[in-house]
Amino acid sequence: MLQTAQRESKSKAAPPHERYLEAYRWMLVARVLEEKLASLYRGGMITGGVYLGRGQEAISAACGIFLQKGDVFAPLIRDQAGRSAFGEPLLDVMRTYLGSRQGPMRGRDGNIHRGRPKDNQLAMISHLGAMIPVMVGKLLAKRMKGEKGFVGLTTIGEGGMQTGASHEGLNIAAVERVPLVVVATNNHFAYSTPNDRQFACADLVDRAKGYGYEGSSVDGTDLTACLEVIGAAVQRARAGRPPQLVVASILRLAGHGEHDDASYVPTEVKKELFARDALELAEKLIAEKGLGGDDYLKKTRAEIAAEVEEAIATAQGEDAPVGSDENWCALSTRELMDSLA
Amino acid sequence: MLQTAQRESKSKAAPPHERYLEAYRWMLVARVLEEKLASLYRGGMITGGVYLGRGQEAISAACGIFLQKGDVFAPLIRDQAGRSAFGEPLLDVMRTYLGSRQGPMRGRDGNIHRGRPKDNQLAMISHLGAMIPVMVGKLLAKRMKGEKGFVGLTTIGEGGMQTGASHEGLNIAAVERVPLVVVATNNHFAYSTPNDRQFACADLVDRAKGYGYEGSSVDGTDLTACLEVIGAAVQRARAGRPPQLVVASILRLAGHGEHDDASYVPTEVKKELFARDALELAEKLIAEKGLGGDDYLKKTRAEIAAEVEEAIATAQGEDAPVGSDENWCALSTRELMDSLA
Amino acid sequence: MRVEYARTNGFAGVSVTYLEAIREAQAHLLREDERVFIYGQDIAGKFGGAFKATKGLAEQFPGRVLNTPISEDAMVGTAIGAAMEGMRPIVEMQFADFSSVALNQILNNAGTQFWRTQIPCPITVRLPSGGTKGSGPFHSQSMEAIYSHYPGLVVVAPATVEDAYTMLIDAVAIDDPVIYCEHKYLYYHLKANALPKDRLPIGKARVVRPGRDLSIVTYSAMVHEALAVAKDFSAKGIEIEVIDLRTIKPLDTDTVLASVARTGRLLCVGEAFPWGGVTAEVITRVATEGFHLLDAAPARLNAKDTPIPYHPNLWAEHRPNAKSIAAKARQILAE
Amino acid sequence: MRVEYARTNGFAGVSVTYLEAIREAQAHLLREDERVFIYGQDIAGKFGGAFKATKGLAEQFPGRVLNTPISEDAMVGTAIGAAMEGMRPIVEMQFADFSSVALNQILNNAGTQFWRTQIPCPITVRLPSGGTKGSGPFHSQSMEAIYSHYPGLVVVAPATVEDAYTMLIDAVAIDDPVIYCEHKYLYYHLKANALPKDRLPIGKARVVRPGRDLSIVTYSAMVHEALAVAKDFSAKGIEIEVIDLRTIKPLDTDTVLASVARTGRLLCVGEAFPWGGVTAEVITRVATEGFHLLDAAPARLNAKDTPIPYHPNLWAEHRPNAKSIAAKARQILAE
Ligand SMILES: Cc1ncc(C[n+]2csc(CCOP(=O)(O)OP(=O)(O)O)c2C)c(N)n1
Ligand SMILES: Cc1ncc(C[n+]2csc(CCOP(=O)(O)OP(=O)(O)O)c2C)c(N)n1
Ligand SMILES: [Mg+2]
Ligand SMILES: [Mg+2]
């Protein structure tokens, strides 16, 4: 896949953040890709759940864009923009969703459970909060091995923050003082559950102090703000400050998954400021400022659409895994597999 | 057992808190009782662990003393003073430690795992934090049944606060807005582990805001302060305020258990203000103000010693449980017990 | 609690699914017993749960169907406290797989409560269990063996619409903690014409098809795979007896032994992981208590000893099915 | 990792306990392999752990024996992350019983990691297991069956000083998660004259006493109860063969079958709860794979199906012991 987003923006007008257009492009990659996934799902081409990051692209792009080689990223279910920005090939996504045997999980796991731990992109298990201590272990080990200058970034939802696992993970990270950034997105719903049945504090950023974290809040619909706040948090963690908690506020602009019509979201909520679409806002700004030059938006969308189509075509041309070929071995030490009649 | 503490204090000089002498007496009950337990342990008369509340008596007495009939108490391992103030007979303690078949747990569980759930004193399981949601359920159910004016109080240590169970329990209590008081004692050690390997926040009371609790701090060596702060928290919870988190600071003035010489506690720490003995301080004040009249301290100690000796004598006169008489049935529905050959 | 089964049967005549039976049982319980409430994630409001097992109940029974935070351990802990206070909570796990983070409260608190304190702990934990297409390693598990290994719990796994209904009502009536394993694959696939008028109690297995040549002892979704095989073999004149255990703990050893006494041959089938578990427990009981009833070596068939794969092609090979059961059955009959 | 067993043997000649062997194995590992670190509650400083299994190691190996908060789930999660990064963490649970709150990380994260991602997850989780006098329901448990039921884990349970030493060293060398069940009752009771010079690998059972009349298959502390019975019976001319499984998963079926082939009679003994578990798995393997080797019905003996009692009088009745094993053995021999 062309990593075209790496290219310098050619705009005359100054963007509100030096990496604004680059980040916008990752937002658009996620949006275009996920719109395609949604239609493939509706067309019955995808088995299992499809979970989209619609509305969360600005936050997620800002999560991925500041990470460098040697950094670790543990994304969750709404992080397509961040995954792409961190270097996940579109082909990984399509192979996973379309069930190619060549996908990163080789059919053993699906959708957003995919990952590439070898490239420091962890593969989540479903149990929310469980990846936080795993990230702590990665960072602790890197320090033990004498590595320097690295950070880890992981994401969580306002619902996932109520699990015991996330509490223990957040706390142990501070005790070990690892260079960690936790980006928590309050999208006002955990599946169908609104905030008032999830937590009772005024603002989840109030948890930062109780863990010994530095906390910051950000409007997740504002790409500039996301780049500034998350960028600064990554910088602080890299500089050896305590772990960072960034709490972003948005509305989930899709169902929990594509099977869910989200009819439980009250219409008033959809009128809130946090319910605006970060992508639309970014495109409005780009158009107004004329960033990226003529037809930038149209051209970029077309480029990305082509990349997505190419990935789909490739994945669709590949074989599905076959049970009879599967290596049914849960251990890396084959001779220690129990021979169960 | 004589509930002599219920009697009005007859002192002329005004005590610093109306229930000061009553609370002091429960502190002394715990201290005298636990000194006896320690010597029985050293004498090899007790099987299993012995965990003492030495140094925590002011906090614990204040936990028990404001609870009324219909309130619920979920004590932990250093709450003898609170257990006694809440109405636990000394005989329960001695029967449990000395292995009488007539103890509240009938030999099935021991030491601080004893309880009387029928009397709203819950019997803890060992897993720290696990009793918090159980307390939430008790309070939720009472509200569902239409009861009014009740509160629940549970205790936890600074180490126990790091478990996932306590996080989920603290959070769900706030979501359900049950009338709960959580008294967390930071005695600066979790078994042998000091604070710096347990949490990284400046003060655990900073967690209150993150859960939507009202938080307060108290010097656990100062009985007056404990009575005022914990008393006020109980009152607020009873009045329908959000859950209350009280964080008390002391030093554990015993080993983790009587098997532990606590040689890992640095001598400097023992010189800290929080390392003072709340009981000594209370007795100093009582003597100075002449509270309770002549020889109050000597008389009270003698009374309590007699009560303790009486309980020991009774318990020692009772039979131990016998395996062959035991009803090996883990279910209340006997016919649903599996018949395992 | 006396229950008139299906007194409130809204379904007579029209067909009712396994999932609807679970919802109706809960509606019945909420209606008949004010001590009952339901506690879980996303079960309230119009939404009515990830699988809609509580659809409509929150509106019908205000304040008694409550959404919780994503806190399985606290969900069960809260239910335990409420049960000690005299309530009859039903906890819905969104998936059985997520009960792993509530396991401590279930095993060490609910499972020990009565034995330690003599206070009963009547909670019912509903576990949407078992594999479905494309669900993968963390939304497909069957955990009945883990909950049965520890003392103090009753574990049930209904395989029919009728049992889904009556066993849930009975589970809530029992004064002890009950782990109710409902199979997601059966939610929509399984239909009955009406809710049952009476029932077989928890603790009793059922001979769902009589036979003389081989006993297949199984439970939950695998009952239907076994029945397909039995039907098939019958055409060839081989009569397989199929036993639906219904209750995993306590296990109805007598019914199993009586069947093996008739057939002399035993195959145990389960969808869970192969090491230990229900099939090993059943074979052990027959080997230890009915050794001389066996004319041939007993056999078991379980899922493979790997996590449960996402891709349908892999999943189809991972779990037992009519094809693999038939092959095993042929082996045993050949002995 | 090549290991010269006891190259660093500080114990030759003088006696070494089971507990000291565990400490020496960890000292050896820290010395020989810089990837190794130990993570747990109260294991650092002068204190060296609730049972002193790491006594002195923190001073000897600065920064590699780390105290953790009371956060079992995060302890294991952190170890998983470190292992993925190439380290070899050993996690000490203060008691096996508390691993219930880390179970999700162990089963669903460590146990699935390699299968999902092909990245090995070489963590070793030490579980101080089993009953001791006065320890009660939450400090006495044996959880090997639960960890063996799920895929992706190796589960071991050393019964001797020598195995405690070599199996811990081998566990850390294995590229997969290993659950190391060490028995608290053996910590001080069991002594050897020296650390071993060589060893039997993980995955192999051992015939600890040959015999022709009955096979007792067991593991961990129960091996010694079984040996006492065997010695006793031998005086009366009855020769009991005692098999120490050593590894719970993978189970060494061949050694068990070979023994039953010699004796024709099988008794499985375990200290864990009776439903399912190790004894059921062993009997099932013999019944399914060695049916015709059996001259009599196999039998099992486990703890009772209640929580583990605190009082010594009750505890003595709850767990199997030489007396109850002997009684069962007589029954089987009488058949
Ligand atoms: C421990 C656990 N319980 C339940 C679930 C099922 N589940 C998956 S996503 C989800 C909602 C998550 O909400 P939130 O954390 O706010 O993230 P969002 O979906 O809003 O991005 C739930 C309940 C889970 N994955 N893990
Ligand atoms: C989940 C869990 N892990 C480990 C233990 C073992 N344990 C019992 S008490 C204790 C220390 C508790 O420290 P703290 O919470 O500060 O209470 P304190 O003993 O200081 O009063 C530990 C680690 C436990 N009971 N529960
Ligand atoms: Mg959310
Ligand atoms: Mg403490």
Side-chain angles (χ1 to χ4, degrees), chain A residues 105-106 108 117-118 123-125 127 130 133-134 137-138 141-142 144-145 165 168 172 176 329-333 336 338 340-341, chain D residues 37 39 71-74 77-78 81-82 84-85 87 104-105 108-109 114-119 152 174-176 250-251 281 285 289:
Chain A
M105 312 306 278
R106 300 160 350 282
R108 292 177 173 189
K118 271 207 189 64
M124 63 178 274
I125 67 168
H127 301 70
V134 175
K138 286 278 290 185
K142 281 170 167 289
M144 287 173 167
K145 295 193 298 181
E168 293 191 359
I172 208 166
E176 299 292 3
C329 181
L331 299 178
S332 82
T333 318
L336 286 176
D338 206 338
L340 280 139
Chain D
F37 70 98
Y39 212 50
S71 302
E72 283 76 7
D73 185 82
T78 302
M84 290 170 68
E85 193 60 36
M87 305 297 286
N104 183 60
Q105 289 285 3
N108 284 319
N109 214 346
F114 175 75
W115 195 79
R116 288 184 298 121
T117 68
Q118 302 296 292
I119 305 290
I174 290 172
D175 281 339
D176 295 289
L251 207 57
E281 181 60 27
R285 291 189 189 208
E289 300 173 51

Coordinates of all heavy atoms in Angstrom, one line a residue, chain A residues 105-106 108 117-118 123-125 127 130 133-134 137-138 141-142 144-145 165 168 172 176 329-333 336 338 340-341, chain D residues 37 39 71-74 77-78 81-82 84-85 87 104-105 108-109 114-119 152 174-176 250-251 281 285 289:
Chain A
M105 N -3.9 -12.8 11.4 CA -4.4 -13.8 12.4 C -4.7 -15.2 11.7 O -5.1 -16.1 12.4 CB -5.6 -13.3 13.1 CG -5.5 -11.9 13.7 SD -4.0 -11.6 14.7 CE -4.6 -12.3 16.3
R106 N -4.5 -15.2 10.4 CA -4.7 -16.5 9.7 C -6.0 -17.2 9.9 O -6.1 -18.4 10.0 CB -3.5 -17.4 10.0 CG -2.2 -16.8 9.6 CD -0.9 -17.3 10.2 NE -1.0 -18.2 11.3 CZ -1.3 -17.8 12.6 NH1 -1.5 -16.5 12.9 NH2 -1.4 -18.6 13.5
R108 N -7.6 -17.3 12.7 CA -7.8 -17.7 14.0 C -8.5 -16.7 14.9 O -9.2 -17.1 15.8 CB -6.4 -18.0 14.7 CG -5.8 -19.3 14.0 CD -4.4 -19.5 14.6 NE -3.9 -20.8 14.1 CZ -2.7 -21.3 14.5 NH1 -2.0 -20.8 15.5 NH2 -2.3 -22.5 14.0
P117 N 2.1 -8.1 16.8 CA 3.0 -7.8 18.0 C 4.5 -7.7 17.6 O 5.2 -6.9 18.2 CB 2.8 -9.1 18.9 CG 1.4 -9.6 18.5 CD 1.3 -9.2 17.0
K118 N 4.9 -8.4 16.5 CA 6.3 -8.3 16.1 C 6.6 -6.9 15.7 O 7.7 -6.4 15.9 CB 6.5 -9.2 14.9 CG 7.0 -10.6 15.3 CD 7.8 -11.2 14.2 CE 8.0 -12.7 14.4 NZ 6.7 -13.5 14.4
A123 N -2.1 -7.3 19.7 CA -3.4 -7.9 19.2 C -4.3 -8.0 20.5 O -4.0 -8.8 21.4 CB -3.2 -9.2 18.6
M124 N -5.3 -7.2 20.6 CA -6.2 -7.2 21.8 C -6.9 -8.5 22.0 O -7.3 -9.2 21.1 CB -7.2 -6.0 21.6 CG -8.2 -6.2 20.5 SD -9.4 -4.9 20.4 CE -10.7 -5.6 21.6
I125 N -7.1 -8.8 23.3 CA -8.1 -9.8 23.6 C -9.4 -9.0 23.9 O -9.3 -7.8 24.1 CB -7.7 -10.7 24.8 CG1 -7.6 -10.0 26.1 CG2 -6.4 -11.4 24.5 CD1 -7.5 -10.9 27.3
H127 N -11.4 -8.9 26.5 CA -11.7 -8.5 27.8 C -11.1 -7.1 28.0 O -9.9 -6.9 28.0 CB -11.1 -9.5 28.8 CG -11.7 -10.9 28.6 ND1 -11.4 -11.7 27.5 CD2 -12.5 -11.6 29.4 CE1 -12.1 -12.8 27.6 NE2 -12.8 -12.8 28.8
A130 N -7.6 -5.5 29.7 CA -6.6 -6.5 29.8 C -5.3 -6.1 29.1 O -4.2 -6.6 29.4 CB -7.1 -7.8 29.3
P133 N -2.0 -3.8 31.3 CA -0.8 -4.3 31.9 C 0.1 -5.0 30.9 O 1.3 -5.0 31.1 CB -1.4 -5.3 32.9 CG -2.8 -5.6 32.4 CD -3.3 -4.4 31.8
V134 N -0.4 -5.5 29.8 CA 0.5 -6.1 28.8 C 1.4 -5.0 28.3 O 2.6 -5.2 28.1 CB -0.4 -6.8 27.7 CG1 0.6 -7.3 26.6 CG2 -1.2 -7.9 28.3
G137 N 4.1 -4.3 30.7 CA 5.1 -5.3 30.6 C 6.1 -5.1 29.4 O 7.3 -5.3 29.6
K138 N 5.5 -4.7 28.3 CA 6.4 -4.4 27.1 C 7.3 -3.3 27.5 O 8.5 -3.4 27.2 CB 5.5 -4.0 25.9 CG 4.7 -5.1 25.3 CD 5.5 -5.9 24.3 CE 5.9 -5.1 23.0 NZ 6.6 -5.9 22.0
A141 N 10.0 -4.2 30.1 CA 11.0 -5.1 29.5 C 12.0 -4.3 28.6 O 13.2 -4.5 28.7 CB 10.4 -6.2 28.7
K142 N 11.4 -3.4 27.9 CA 12.3 -2.5 27.1 C 13.3 -1.8 28.0 O 14.5 -1.7 27.6 CB 11.5 -1.5 26.2 CG 10.9 -2.1 25.0 CD 9.9 -1.2 24.4 CE 9.5 -1.6 23.0 NZ 10.5 -1.4 22.0
M144 N 14.3 -2.7 30.9 CA 15.2 -3.7 31.5 C 16.3 -4.0 30.4 O 17.5 -4.2 30.8 CB 14.5 -5.0 31.9 CG 13.7 -4.8 33.1 SD 12.7 -6.4 33.4 CE 12.1 -6.1 35.1
K145 N 15.9 -4.0 29.2 CA 16.9 -4.3 28.1 C 17.8 -3.1 27.8 O 18.6 -3.2 26.9 CB 16.2 -4.8 26.9 CG 15.5 -6.2 27.1 CD 15.0 -6.8 25.9 CE 14.0 -6.0 25.1 NZ 13.6 -6.7 23.8
A165 N -9.5 -4.8 35.6 CA -8.2 -5.0 34.8 C -7.6 -3.6 34.5 O -6.4 -3.4 34.6 CB -8.5 -5.8 33.5
E168 N -6.1 -2.0 37.7 CA -4.8 -2.6 38.1 C -3.7 -2.2 37.1 O -2.6 -1.9 37.5 CB -4.9 -4.1 38.2 CG -5.9 -4.6 39.4 CD -5.8 -6.1 39.6 OE1 -5.0 -6.8 38.9 OE2 -6.5 -6.5 40.5
I172 N -0.5 0.0 38.2 CA 0.9 -0.7 38.1 C 1.8 0.1 37.2 O 3.0 0.2 37.4 CB 0.8 -2.2 37.8 CG1 2.0 -2.9 38.4 CG2 0.7 -2.4 36.3 CD1 1.8 -4.4 38.4
E176 N 5.4 1.5 38.3 CA 6.6 1.2 37.6 C 7.1 2.4 36.8 O 8.2 2.3 36.2 CB 6.4 0.0 36.6 CG 6.0 -1.3 37.2 CD 7.1 -1.9 38.1 OE1 8.2 -1.3 38.2 OE2 6.9 -3.0 38.6
C329 N -2.3 -26.5 17.1 CA -1.3 -26.5 18.2 C -1.2 -25.2 18.9 O -0.8 -24.2 18.4 CB 0.1 -26.8 17.5 SG 1.4 -27.0 18.7
A330 N -1.6 -25.2 20.2 CA -1.7 -24.0 21.0 C -0.4 -23.6 21.6 O -0.3 -22.6 22.2 CB -2.8 -24.2 22.0
L331 N 0.6 -24.5 21.5 CA 1.9 -24.3 22.2 C 2.9 -24.1 21.1 O 2.9 -24.7 20.0 CB 2.3 -25.4 23.1 CG 1.4 -25.8 24.2 CD1 1.9 -27.0 25.0 CD2 1.2 -24.6 25.2
S332 N 3.9 -23.3 21.4 CA 5.0 -23.1 20.5 C 6.0 -24.3 20.7 O 6.8 -24.6 19.8 CB 5.8 -21.8 20.8 OG 6.7 -22.0 21.8
T333 N 5.9 -25.0 21.8 CA 6.6 -26.3 22.0 C 5.7 -27.5 21.6 O 5.1 -28.0 22.5 CB 7.1 -26.4 23.5 OG1 7.5 -25.1 23.9 CG2 8.2 -27.4 23.6
L336 N 5.1 -30.6 23.6 CA 4.4 -30.5 24.9 C 2.9 -30.4 24.7 O 2.2 -30.3 25.7 CB 4.9 -29.3 25.7 CG 6.3 -29.4 26.3 CD1 6.7 -28.2 27.0 CD2 6.3 -30.6 27.3
D338 N -0.6 -31.9 24.7 CA -1.1 -33.1 25.2 C -1.8 -33.9 24.1 O -2.5 -33.3 23.2 CB -2.2 -32.8 26.3 CG -2.3 -33.9 27.3 OD1 -2.0 -35.0 27.0 OD2 -2.7 -33.6 28.4
L340 N -4.7 -35.7 23.4 CA -6.0 -36.0 24.0 C -6.8 -36.8 23.0 O -7.2 -36.4 21.9 CB -6.7 -34.7 24.3 CG -6.2 -34.1 25.6 CD1 -6.1 -32.6 25.5 CD2 -7.2 -34.5 26.7
A341 N -7.2 -38.1 23.4 CA -8.0 -38.9 22.6 C -9.4 -38.3 22.5 O -9.9 -37.9 23.5 CB -8.1 -40.3 23.1
Chain D
F37 N 13.3 -12.4 35.4 CA 13.0 -11.6 36.6 C 11.8 -12.2 37.3 O 11.1 -13.0 36.8 CB 12.9 -10.1 36.3 CG 11.6 -9.8 35.5 CD1 10.5 -9.3 36.2 CD2 11.5 -9.9 34.1 CE1 9.3 -8.9 35.5 CE2 10.3 -9.5 33.5 CZ 9.3 -9.0 34.2
Y39 N 8.4 -11.5 39.8 CA 7.4 -10.4 40.0 C 6.4 -11.0 40.9 O 5.8 -12.0 40.6 CB 6.8 -10.1 38.6 CG 6.4 -8.6 38.4 CD1 7.2 -7.6 38.7 CD2 5.1 -8.3 37.9 CE1 6.8 -6.3 38.5 CE2 4.7 -7.0 37.7 CZ 5.6 -6.0 38.0 OH 5.2 -4.7 37.7
S71 N -2.3 -6.8 42.9 CA -3.0 -6.7 41.6 C -2.6 -7.9 40.8 O -1.8 -7.8 39.8 CB -2.5 -5.4 40.9 OG -2.8 -4.3 41.7
E72 N -3.2 -9.1 41.1 CA -2.8 -10.3 40.5 C -3.0 -10.3 39.0 O -2.2 -10.8 38.2 CB -3.5 -11.5 41.0 CG -3.0 -12.0 42.4 CD -3.4 -11.1 43.6 OE1 -4.2 -10.2 43.4 OE2 -2.9 -11.3 44.7
D73 N -4.1 -9.7 38.5 CA -4.4 -9.6 37.1 C -3.3 -8.8 36.4 O -2.8 -9.2 35.4 CB -5.8 -9.0 36.9 CG -6.2 -9.0 35.4 OD1 -6.7 -10.0 35.0 OD2 -6.0 -7.9 34.8
A74 N -2.9 -7.7 37.0 CA -1.9 -6.8 36.3 C -0.5 -7.5 36.5 O 0.3 -7.3 35.6 CB -1.9 -5.5 37.0
G77 N -0.6 -9.9 33.6 CA -0.6 -9.1 32.3 C 0.8 -8.5 32.0 O 1.2 -8.5 30.9
T78 N 1.4 -7.9 33.1 CA 2.7 -7.3 32.9 C 3.7 -8.4 32.5 O 4.6 -8.2 31.6 CB 3.1 -6.6 34.2 OG1 2.1 -5.6 34.6 CG2 4.5 -6.0 34.1
G81 N 3.4 -9.2 28.8 CA 4.0 -8.1 28.0 C 5.5 -8.3 27.9 O 6.1 -8.1 26.9
A82 N 6.0 -8.5 29.1 CA 7.5 -8.6 29.2 C 8.0 -9.9 28.4 O 9.0 -9.8 27.8 CB 7.9 -8.7 30.7
M84 N 6.6 -11.2 25.9 CA 6.5 -10.9 24.4 C 7.7 -10.1 24.0 O 8.0 -10.1 22.8 CB 5.2 -10.2 24.1 CG 3.9 -11.0 24.3 SD 2.4 -9.9 24.2 CE 2.5 -9.4 22.5
E85 N 8.2 -9.4 24.9 CA 9.4 -8.5 24.6 C 10.7 -9.3 24.8 O 11.8 -8.7 24.7 CB 9.3 -7.3 25.5 CG 10.2 -6.1 25.1 CD 10.1 -5.5 23.8 OE1 8.9 -5.5 23.3 OE2 11.1 -5.2 23.2
M87 N 11.6 -11.3 27.6 CA 12.0 -11.6 28.9 C 11.4 -13.0 29.3 O 10.7 -13.6 28.6 CB 11.5 -10.6 29.9 CG 12.0 -9.2 29.5 SD 13.8 -8.9 29.6 CE 14.1 -8.9 31.3
N104 N -8.2 -14.6 34.2 CA -8.5 -14.2 32.8 C -7.2 -13.9 32.0 O -7.1 -14.3 30.9 CB -9.3 -12.9 32.8 CG -9.6 -12.4 31.4 OD1 -10.3 -13.2 30.7 ND2 -9.1 -11.3 31.1
Q105 N -6.2 -13.3 32.7 CA -4.9 -13.1 32.0 C -4.3 -14.4 31.6 O -3.7 -14.5 30.6 CB -4.0 -12.2 32.8 CG -4.4 -10.7 32.9 CD -4.2 -9.9 31.6 OE1 -3.7 -10.4 30.6 NE2 -4.5 -8.6 31.7
N108 N -7.0 -16.5 29.1 CA -7.4 -15.8 27.8 C -6.3 -15.0 27.1 O -6.4 -14.8 25.9 CB -8.7 -15.0 28.0 CG -9.9 -15.8 28.2 OD1 -10.1 -16.8 27.5 ND2 -10.8 -15.5 29.2
N109 N -5.3 -14.7 27.9 CA -4.3 -13.9 27.3 C -3.0 -14.7 27.1 O -2.6 -15.0 26.0 CB -4.0 -12.6 28.1 CG -3.6 -11.4 27.2 OD1 -3.3 -11.6 26.0 ND2 -3.6 -10.2 27.8
F114 N 0.3 -17.3 21.8 CA 1.0 -17.9 20.7 C 0.1 -18.3 19.6 O 0.4 -18.1 18.4 CB 1.8 -19.1 21.2 CG 2.5 -19.8 20.1 CD1 3.6 -19.3 19.5 CD2 2.0 -21.0 19.6 CE1 4.3 -19.9 18.4 CE2 2.6 -21.6 18.5 CZ 3.7 -21.1 17.9
W115 N -1.0 -18.9 20.0 CA -1.9 -19.5 18.9 C -2.4 -18.3 18.0 O -2.5 -18.5 16.8 CB -3.0 -20.2 19.6 CG -3.8 -21.1 18.6 CD1 -3.5 -22.3 18.1 CD2 -5.1 -20.8 18.0 NE1 -4.4 -22.8 17.3 CE2 -5.4 -21.9 17.2 CE3 -5.9 -19.7 18.1 CZ2 -6.6 -21.9 16.5 CZ3 -7.1 -19.7 17.4 CH2 -7.4 -20.8 16.6
R116 N -2.7 -17.2 18.7 CA -3.3 -16.1 17.9 C -2.2 -15.4 17.1 O -2.4 -15.0 15.9 CB -3.9 -15.0 18.9 CG -5.2 -15.5 19.5 CD -5.9 -14.4 20.3 NE -5.0 -14.1 21.5 CZ -4.5 -12.8 21.7 NH1 -4.8 -11.8 20.9 NH2 -3.8 -12.6 22.8
T117 N -1.0 -15.1 17.7 CA -0.1 -14.2 17.1 C 1.2 -14.9 16.7 O 2.1 -14.2 16.1 CB 0.3 -13.1 18.1 OG1 1.0 -13.6 19.2 CG2 -1.0 -12.4 18.6
Q118 N 1.5 -16.1 17.1 CA 2.8 -16.8 16.8 C 3.9 -16.2 17.6 O 5.1 -16.5 17.4 CB 3.1 -16.8 15.3 CG 2.0 -17.5 14.5 CD 1.9 -19.0 14.8 OE1 2.7 -19.8 14.6 NE2 0.7 -19.3 15.5
I119 N 3.6 -15.3 18.6 CA 4.6 -14.8 19.5 C 4.6 -15.7 20.7 O 3.5 -15.7 21.4 CB 4.4 -13.3 19.9 CG1 4.2 -12.4 18.6 CG2 5.5 -12.8 20.8 CD1 5.5 -12.2 17.9
G152 N -3.4 -24.1 25.8 CA -2.3 -23.1 25.7 C -1.4 -23.0 26.9 O -0.5 -22.2 26.9
I174 N 11.0 -23.2 28.9 CA 10.0 -23.5 27.9 C 9.4 -22.2 27.3 O 9.2 -21.3 28.1 CB 8.9 -24.4 28.6 CG1 9.4 -25.8 28.9 CG2 7.6 -24.4 27.7 CD1 8.4 -26.6 29.7
D175 N 9.2 -22.2 26.0 CA 8.7 -21.0 25.3 C 7.2 -20.8 25.5 O 6.7 -19.9 24.9 CB 9.0 -21.1 23.8 CG 10.5 -20.8 23.5 OD1 11.1 -20.1 24.3 OD2 11.0 -21.3 22.5
D176 N 6.6 -21.5 26.4 CA 5.1 -21.4 26.6 C 4.8 -21.1 28.0 O 5.7 -21.3 28.9 CB 4.4 -22.7 26.1 CG 4.6 -22.9 24.6 OD1 3.9 -22.2 23.9 OD2 5.3 -23.8 24.2
P250 N 1.1 -31.5 29.6 CA 0.6 -32.7 29.0 C 0.7 -33.9 30.0 O 1.7 -34.1 30.7 CB 1.4 -33.0 27.8 CG 2.7 -32.4 28.1 CD 2.5 -31.2 29.0
L251 N -0.3 -34.7 30.1 CA -0.4 -35.9 30.9 C 0.4 -37.0 30.2 O 0.2 -37.3 29.0 CB -1.8 -36.2 31.1 CG -2.3 -37.0 32.4 CD1 -1.9 -36.2 33.7 CD2 -3.8 -37.1 32.4
E281 N -9.6 -37.1 34.6 CA -8.9 -37.1 33.3 C -8.0 -38.4 33.2 O -8.0 -39.1 32.2 CB -8.0 -35.9 33.2 CG -7.2 -35.8 31.9 CD -8.1 -35.8 30.6 OE1 -9.3 -35.3 30.7 OE2 -7.6 -36.2 29.5
R285 N -8.6 -41.5 30.5 CA -7.6 -41.9 29.5 C -7.4 -43.4 29.6 O -7.3 -44.1 28.6 CB -6.3 -41.2 29.7 CG -6.4 -39.7 29.4 CD -5.1 -39.0 29.4 NE -5.4 -37.6 29.2 CZ -4.5 -36.7 28.7 NH1 -3.4 -37.1 28.2 NH2 -4.9 -35.5 28.6
E289 N -8.4 -45.5 26.5 CA -7.3 -46.0 25.7 C -6.7 -47.3 26.2 O -5.9 -48.0 25.6 CB -6.2 -44.9 25.7 CG -6.6 -43.6 25.1 CD -5.5 -42.5 25.3 OE1 -4.4 -42.8 24.9 OE2 -5.9 -41.4 25.8

